[in-house]
C-alpha cells in the first residue's frame, strides 16, 4: 500500500516539475522569439530601433512574469516536498 | 489552510457542480458541441475553398472575424482587470466573483486570438510572422501584448486556484492525479501562504497595465492608419473604456446564469449585482462621453471623407446598426440601472445583455462602414456575411461557453478559500480599516495572523 502511495507521489512530483518546466519554456520561448525578431531586424537593417524600442518594454514584462512563476513553483514545490 | 478543515464543509454547496453531474450538463455540452461543430464545418469550408466563400472582399476585407477579435479581446478585460482592481482596492464584496471573471478572461483570450488565424485564410502564413515579423507593424504589437496578457491572466487565474485545488485533492476521490499535480504540494503552511499572497499581489499590479496596453494596442490597428473614422487620438482610451464596459456586462451575465443553475443564491447576492450595476452605469456614461466626443469632433471638422462615413452611420445604410448600438449601450442601461433598489438582479441582467450585444454592434460599426467607404478611389463596398461567418461566430461563442462550462465542472467557480478567509480574517480587517478612517485612530498593525488563522 505504501509502495503504491509512494509511486503515486513520485508520479505527481514528476508531473509538477513538468508543469513548472513547461511554464518556463513557454515564457522563455516568447522572449527568445522577440530576441530573434530584433536580430532579424538588425541583420536586415530593417529599422532595428523600432524592434529594440518595443522589446525594451516587452522583454522585461515577460521576465517579471517568469520571475513570479519560478518563485511560486520553486517555493511551493520545495515546501510541499514532504507531502 | 488545513486542507481537511471541517469549516470547509460550510461551503459544501460550492463543490456540488464538481461532485454531481446532472442531465442538464450533458444537454448543455451537446448543444454547445453542435454550435462548435457548425463553426468547424464553416472553417473547414473556408480553409478548403478560400476566403471567397465569405462575404469578405475588396474594399471590405475585415468583417465579422475582426469584429469578433476586437469584441472578445474587449470582453477579456472583464476578468483580470476588474478582479485585480477590486483585489488591490480591498473590496471585500469581490470574493465570490473574482474567479468567474478571471475564467472569462482566459477563455475569451484564446477565442479572440484565434479569430486572427481564421481571418488569415491561409493559417500556415502565421509562420512568416514568427520568422520575419516586423515590429513596425501594430499587428505585431498586438501579438506581443496579447501573449503577455494571456500568460499573465492564466497565472493570475491559476495562483488563487491552488489552495482550492488542494481541497479538491484531499476531498474528492476522482481526478485525484489532476488535482494533486496542479495543487503543487500545497499544505497551507505559513510560508506557502506568504509566497502565494506575495505572488497574487504582484500579478494584480502587473496585470492592470498589461490589460490597458492590450486594448490600446488593439485600437492602434485602426488608429495608426489614416482611414476616415479610425484615425483618432482618443481611440486608445475609447477602446479601453469599451472593453471594461463590455467586460463588466459579461461578468454580470455569467454571474446570473451560474447563480441560477447552481443555486448559489447564498454567495451571489443582490448586493453584488447592485455594486456591479452601479459600475456598469458609470461605464455607460463614460462610453457615451467618448462616443459623443469622437463623433462631435468628426462632425465639426466637416472633412468630406469623414462626413461620408458619419452620414452613412447616422442616416445612411448603416443606420440600423448605429442606432441599435446607441439604444442598447446607452438607453437600455440607463433605464435599467438608475434605480437598483428593487429587482437589482433582473435589471442588471437586462442591461448587461443589452450592453454585450450593443458592444458587438459597436465593433462592427467601427470596422465595416469605414472599409465600405474607402479613402482611395475604389467604388463603395457592400458587406453581407455568408453562412461561413455566421457559423464561425456561433462556433466561437459556443466554444467559449463550452470551455467555461467544463471549467465549472472541474474546478470551483467561486473561490472556497477566499470565502473562508473573508469570514475569518476579512471581517476583522475591515473593522480595523474602518477604525483608521475615523479621527483619533492610529494605523492598525498588518494582519499578521492571516496565515495562522487559515492554516
Amino acid at each position: 500500500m505504501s509502495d503504491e502511495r509512494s509511486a503515486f507521489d513520485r508520479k505527481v512530483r514528476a508531473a509538477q516539475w513538468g508543469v513548472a518546466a513547461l511554464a518556463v519554456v513557454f515564457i522563455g520561448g516568447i522572449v527568445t522569439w522577440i530576441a530573434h525578431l530584433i536580430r532579424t531586424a538588425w541583420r536586415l537593417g530593417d529599422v532595428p530601433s523600432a524592434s529594440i524600442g518595443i522589446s525594451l518594454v516587452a522583454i522585461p514584462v515577460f521576465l517579471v512574469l517568469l520571475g513570479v512563476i519560478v518563485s511560486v513553483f520553486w517555493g511551493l514545490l520545495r515546501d510541499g516536498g514532504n507531502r | 489552510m488545513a486542507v481537511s478543515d471541517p469549516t470547509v464543509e460550510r461551503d459544501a454547496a460550492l463543490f456540488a457542480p464538481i461532485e454531481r453531474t446532472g442531465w442538464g450538463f450533458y444537454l448543455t455540452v451537446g448543444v454547445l458541441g453542435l454550435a462548435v461543430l457548425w463553426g468547424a464545418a464553416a472553417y473547414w469550408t473556408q480553409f478548403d475553398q478560400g476566403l471567397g466563400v465569405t462575404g469578405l472582399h475588396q474594399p471590405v476585407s475585415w468583417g465579422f472575424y475582426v469584429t469578433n477579435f476586437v469584441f472578445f479581446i474587449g470582453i477579456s478585460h472583464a476578468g483580470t482587470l476588474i478582479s485585480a482592481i477590486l483585489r488591490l482596492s480591498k473590496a471585500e464584496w469581490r470574493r465570490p466573483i473574482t474567479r468567474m471573471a478571471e475564467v472569462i478572461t482566459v477563455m475569451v483570450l484564446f477565442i479572440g486570438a484565434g479569430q486572427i488565424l481564421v481571418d488569415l485564410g491561409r493559417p500556415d502564413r502565421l509562420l512568416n510572422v514568427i520568422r520575419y515579423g516586423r515590429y513596425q507593424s501594430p499587428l505585431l504589437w498586438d501579438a506581443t501584448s496579447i501573449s503577455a496578457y494571456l500568460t499573465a491572466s492564466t497565472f493570475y487565474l491559476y495562483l488563487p486556484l491552488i489552495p482550492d485545488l488542494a481541497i479538491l485533492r484531499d476531498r474528492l476521490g476522482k481526478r485525484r492525479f489532476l488535482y494533486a499535480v496542479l495543487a503543487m504540494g500545497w499544505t497551507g503552511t505559513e510560508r506557502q501562504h506568504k509566497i502565494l499572497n506575495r505572488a497574487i499581489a504582484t500579478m494584480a499590479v502587473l496585470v492592470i497595465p498589461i490589460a490597458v496596453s492590450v486594448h490600446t494596442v488593439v485600437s492602434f490597428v485602426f488608429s495608426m492608419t489614416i482611414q476616415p473614422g479610425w484615425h483618432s487620438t482618443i481611440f486608445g482610451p475609447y477602446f479601453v473604456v469599451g472593453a471594461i464596459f463590455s467586460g463588466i456586462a459579461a461578468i454580470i451575465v455569467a454571474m446570473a446564469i451560474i447563480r441560477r443553475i447552481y443555486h448559489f443564491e447564498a454567495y451571489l447576492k443582490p448586493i453584488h449585482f447592485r455594486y456591479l450595476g452601479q459600475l456598469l452605469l458609470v461605464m455607460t456614461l463614460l462610453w457615451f462621453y467618448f462616443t459623443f466626443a469622437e463623433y462631435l469632433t468628426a462632425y465639426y471638422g466637416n472633412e468630406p471623407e469623414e462626413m461620408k462615413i458619419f452620414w452613412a452611420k447616422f442616416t445612411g445604410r448603416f443606420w440600423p446598426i448605429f442606432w441599435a448600438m446607441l439604444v442598447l449601450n446607452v438607453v437600455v442601461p440607463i433605464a435599467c440601472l438608475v434605480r437598483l433598489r428593487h429587482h437589482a438582479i433582473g435589471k442588471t441582467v437586462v442591461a448587461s445583455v443589452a450592453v454585450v450585444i450593443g458592444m458587438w454592434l459597436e465593433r462592427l460599426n467601427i470596422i465595416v462602414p469605414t472599409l465600405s467607404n474607402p479613402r482611395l478611389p475604389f467604388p463603395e463596398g457592400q458587406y453581407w456575411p455568408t453562412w461561413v461567418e455566421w457559423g464561425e461566430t456561433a462556433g466561437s461563442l459556443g466554444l467559449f461557453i463550452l470551455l467555461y462550462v467544463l471549467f465549472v465542472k472541474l474546478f470551483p467557480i467561486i473561490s472556497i478559500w477566499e470565502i473562508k478567509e473573508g469570514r475569518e480574517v476579512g471581517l476583522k480587517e475591515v473593522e480595523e480599516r474602518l477604525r483608521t478612517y475615523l479621527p483619533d485612530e492610529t494605523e492598525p498593525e498588518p494582519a499578521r495572523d492571516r496565515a495562522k488563522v487559515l492554516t
Side-chain angles (χ1 to χ4, degrees), chain A residues 31-82:
Chain A
V31 173
T32 311
W33 171 59
I34 296 172
H36 160 75
L37 293 182
I38 299 174
R39 206 170 63 98
T40 308
W42 190 274
R43 195 163 46 86
L44 299 174
D46 185 22
V47 200
S49 55
S51 301
I52 292 168
I54 290 162
S55 311
L56 279 177
V57 180
I59 290 179
V61 169
F62 283 105
L63 290 180
V64 171
L65 283 175
L66 189 64
V68 173
I69 289 155
V70 167
S71 71
V72 171
F73 283 160
W74 183 258
L76 294 187
L77 285 174
R78 221 177 42 155
D79 210 53
N82 297 328

Side-chain angles (χ1 to χ4, degrees), chain B residues 65-85:
Chain B
Y65 298 152
V66 176
T67 301
N68 291 343
F69 163 70
V70 181
F71 173 74
F72 281 124
I73 299 290
I75 293 281
S76 76
H77 285 54
T80 315
L81 187 56
I82 304 295
S83 157
I85 289 171

Side-chain angles (χ1 to χ4, degrees), chain B residues 367-395:
Chain B
I367 294 164
V368 177
T370 290
L371 290 174
S372 302
N373 296 278
R375 186 187 286 275
L376 290 171
F378 288 133
E380 265 188 27
Q382 292 276 354
Y383 175 63
W384 293 108
T386 66
W387 77 271
V388 174
E389 284 124 302
W390 284 110
E392 198 278 332
T393 301

Side-chain angles (χ1 to χ4, degrees), chain B residues 233-357:
Chain B
T233 55
I234 66 162
F235 249 39
Y238 185 30
F239 268 51
V240 173
V241 164
I244 299 172
F245 184 37
S246 59
I248 295 171
I251 298 179
I252 293 173
V253 175
M255 277 168 62
I257 294 171
I258 287 170
R259 181 181 190 268
R260 177 123 189 161
I261 292 175
Y262 297 111
H263 304 290
F264 285 161
E265 288 85 358
Y267 296 91
L268 300 168
K269 297 179 174 180
I271 195 157
H272 294 106
F273 287 88
R274 205 173 298 141
Y275 282 170
L276 280 174
Q278 285 163 356
L279 214 51
L280 191 67
L281 180 62
V282 171
M283 295 312 297
T284 302
L285 299 175
L286 208 52
W287 179 85
F288 179 70
Y289 163 70
F290 270 96
T291 306
F292 179 73
E294 175 68 14
Y295 285 98
L296 181 69
T297 313
Y299 177 74
Y300 200 82
N302 205 21
E303 198 194 325
E305 298 297 333
E306 288 274 356
M307 292 316 289
K308 249 190 341 189
I309 291 157
F310 182 93
W311 290 119
K313 289 181 185 180
F314 270 72
T315 54
R317 59 199 160 107
F318 296 105
W319 76 265
I321 299 174
F322 180 81
W323 290 105
M325 169 194 88
L326 274 186
V327 169
L328 292 168
N329 282 346
V330 182
V331 180
V332 176
I334 288 177
C336 289
L337 300 173
V338 281
R339 283 176 70 86
L340 280 175
R341 199 168 301 162
H342 304 292
H343 310 295
I345 298 177
K347 285 178 182 173
T348 49
V349 170
V350 169
S352 301
V353 171
V355 169
V356 169
I357 299 168

